[in-house]
Amino acid sequence: MKLSQFKFKLPEDKIALHPTKYRDESRLMVLHRRTGEIEHKMFKDVLNYFDDKDVFIFNDTKVFPARLYGNKEKTGARIEVFLLRELNEELRLWDVLVDPARKIRIGNKLYFGADDSMVAEVIDNTTSRGRTLRFLYDGPHDEFKKALYALGETPLPHSIINRPVEPEDSERFQSIFAKNEGAVTAPTASLHFSRELMKRLEIKGIDFAYITLHAGLGNFRDIDVEDLTKHKMDSEQMIVNAEAVNTVNNAKDKGKNVCAVGTTVMRAIESAVSTDGHLKEFEGWTNKFIFPPYEFTVANSMISNFHMPLSTLLMIVAAFGGYDQVMDAYHVALKEGYRFGTYGDAMLILDK
């Protein structure tokens, strides 16, 4: 398929800048992929489409406050530093992106905090905007991490949510079951699940499986090739443990529904599937890129937000729901006033 096939006009006023007051009260479009039928519901109604022993697979990654603002030594120029991942605990080495990058060279020192209490030295260039920083901090690692994160802010994707970070974002840009730290962006489909809804799903007998995929900035990277087979995804770290494998495979063997909550979950489970269509344990990295046509093997339903034009996230959804049906559903969503993006509304795609 071609990149241009995923282009559509998305007015700015259709992009959600804030979440709904309650997590489970965003809107929900239900797309039946066999018939093309569309229903308009509230997110909490998702409960009505699943039964005893069906399984929801969630991503339990936890977002950390990855965006810092510092000053360059001597000039005092304001620099944005986006933490990607820690490379070495002992040496306090971090893989980061800097902006504006042209001003930041190897050997430069950056100062953070009102009193310049945190200092980092640039020790390597990795990409045009990428740098390796060594933080100069004496003290235990836990103390360093706490001090570093206290200086950071919630890493809202400014390309989608173009506003300053607000106090409520630290809670709302995180799922209620976030546990394993390592993501720099939230798995957005999971943001719709409230404690009340989880309890109601549990009471109905629905089982939960948790995998971890640390969502990175690659989710927002522009694709610069028209031929999608030539696009390379950024690698993301993921873990599928034995408990998740057993829960999912038992449900599949009994003919129960398996619902992937979000594109990160879908990528993870399709990266950890055995030849007989069962989920298997996995710990490592995935750069799997899913776009139509694609044969899915683990989940038979999925929940996802309404994504940006030309995005890899839209491509996964279109691969699962059928290209024509998903693009038609997106046009219906625009007409019906659904909210797009990270804090937007959701779509449930069912295989019936």
Side-chain angles (χ1 to χ4, degrees), residues 192-205:
H192 300 282
F193 287 83
S194 63
R195 284 182 173 77
E196 295 75 17
L197 179 57
M198 295 290 278
K199 195 74 202 156
R200 288 168 67 211
L201 289 165
E202 217 177 283
I203 289 165
K204 200 169 180 181

Side-chain angles (χ1 to χ4, degrees), residues 50 54-55 57 248 251-252 256-260 298-302:
F50 295 91
D54 287 344
V55 171
I57 312 176
V248 171
K252 277 183 73 70
K256 297 293 180 182
N257 292 307
V258 175
C259 181
V298 182
N300 66 343
S301 57
M302 102 177 269

Side-chain angles (χ1 to χ4, degrees), residues 42-293:
M42 294 284 281
F43 191 81
K44 57 174 74 167
D45 298 328
V46 75
L47 180 81
N48 302 327
Y49 295 90
F50 295 91
D51 289 309
D52 188 41
K53 294 303 169 202
D54 287 344
V55 171
F56 276 53
I57 312 176
F58 296 108
N59 184 359
D60 66 6
T61 188
K62 188 175 184 180
V63 180
F64 62 93
R67 187 178 279 116
L68 310 175
Y69 294 97
N71 301 302
K72 189 182 168 190
E73 64 175 337
K74 294 180 185 147
T75 66
R78 181 174 151 97
I79 305 294
E80 180 186 304
V81 172
F82 198 100
L83 303 171
L84 295 176
R85 61 193 177 96
E86 191 169 32
L87 299 171
N88 185 304
E89 272 190 25
E90 209 179 319
L91 299 175
R92 314 273 194 260
L93 296 183
W94 277 79
D95 185 16
V96 307
L97 295 176
V98 293
D99 192 32
R102 60 193 161 73
K103 293 184 175 180
I104 305 301
R105 300 190 173 89
I106 292 172
N108 287 160
K109 282 199 172 72
L110 303 175
Y111 294 88
F112 304 92
D115 54 356
D116 293 343
S117 57
M118 184 73 74
V119 186
E121 186 181 4
V122 181
I123 63 167
D124 198 10
N125 291 337
T126 51
T127 61
S128 59
R129 286 182 57 212
R131 302 288 185 272
T132 303
L133 295 190
R134 179 170 59 223
F135 286 90
L136 311 173
Y137 188 94
D138 288 329
H141 183 259
D142 289 354
E143 195 184 279
F144 159 67
K145 252 335 216 329
K146 197 174 169 188
L148 182 65
Y149 286 0
L151 297 168
E153 69 174 29
T154 304
L156 292 185
H158 287 331
S159 59
I160 299 172
I161 303 174
N162 190 16
R163 62 162 172 82
V165 171
E166 294 169 12
E168 71 160 359
D169 291 314
S170 62
E171 184 211 342
R172 295 302 298 270
F173 194 63
Q174 193 85 272
S175 70
I176 60 166
F177 39 76
K179 190 172 78 168
N180 296 314
E181 184 185 279
V184 297
T185 189
T188 55
S190 62
L191 301 182
H192 300 282
F193 287 83
S194 63
R195 284 182 173 77
E196 295 75 17
L197 179 57
M198 295 290 278
K199 195 74 202 156
R200 288 168 67 211
L201 289 165
E202 217 177 283
I203 289 165
K204 200 169 180 181
I206 292 157
D207 290 328
F208 306 147
Y210 295 94
I211 60 94
T212 305
L213 184 137
H214 294 316
L217 289 183
N219 291 291
F220 307 110
R221 198 182 301 290
D222 290 341
I223 299 178
D224 51 13
V225 288
E226 174 67 1
D227 179 355
L228 295 182
T229 60
K230 294 185 164 56
H231 176 64
K232 295 281 183 287
M233 288 286 282
D234 289 6
S235 289
E236 293 171 315
Q237 196 173 11
M238 59 169 275
I239 300 164
V240 178
N241 63 26
E243 194 180 342
V245 166
N246 292 338
T247 302
V248 171
N249 290 342
N250 283 341
K252 277 183 73 70
D253 291 343
K254 289 174 182 158
K256 297 293 180 182
N257 292 307
V258 175
C259 181
V261 179
T263 55
T264 60
V265 167
M266 194 59 96
R267 283 184 59 227
I269 61 179
E270 288 296 320
S271 300
V273 67
S274 59
T275 47
D276 64 356
H278 282 73
L279 193 60
K280 62 181 183 185
E281 289 182 59
F282 184 98
E283 184 164 353
W285 297 76
T286 180
N287 63 352
K288 192 171 188 67
F289 178 32
I290 297 173
F291 59 94

Side-chain angles (χ1 to χ4, degrees), residues 333-351:
L334 285 168
K335 208 170 71 196
E336 296 288 331
Y338 278 76
R339 292 150 34 98
F340 280 64
T342 307
Y343 278 150
D345 295 317
M347 176 190 261
L348 167 65
I349 303 174
L350 295 170
D351 187 30

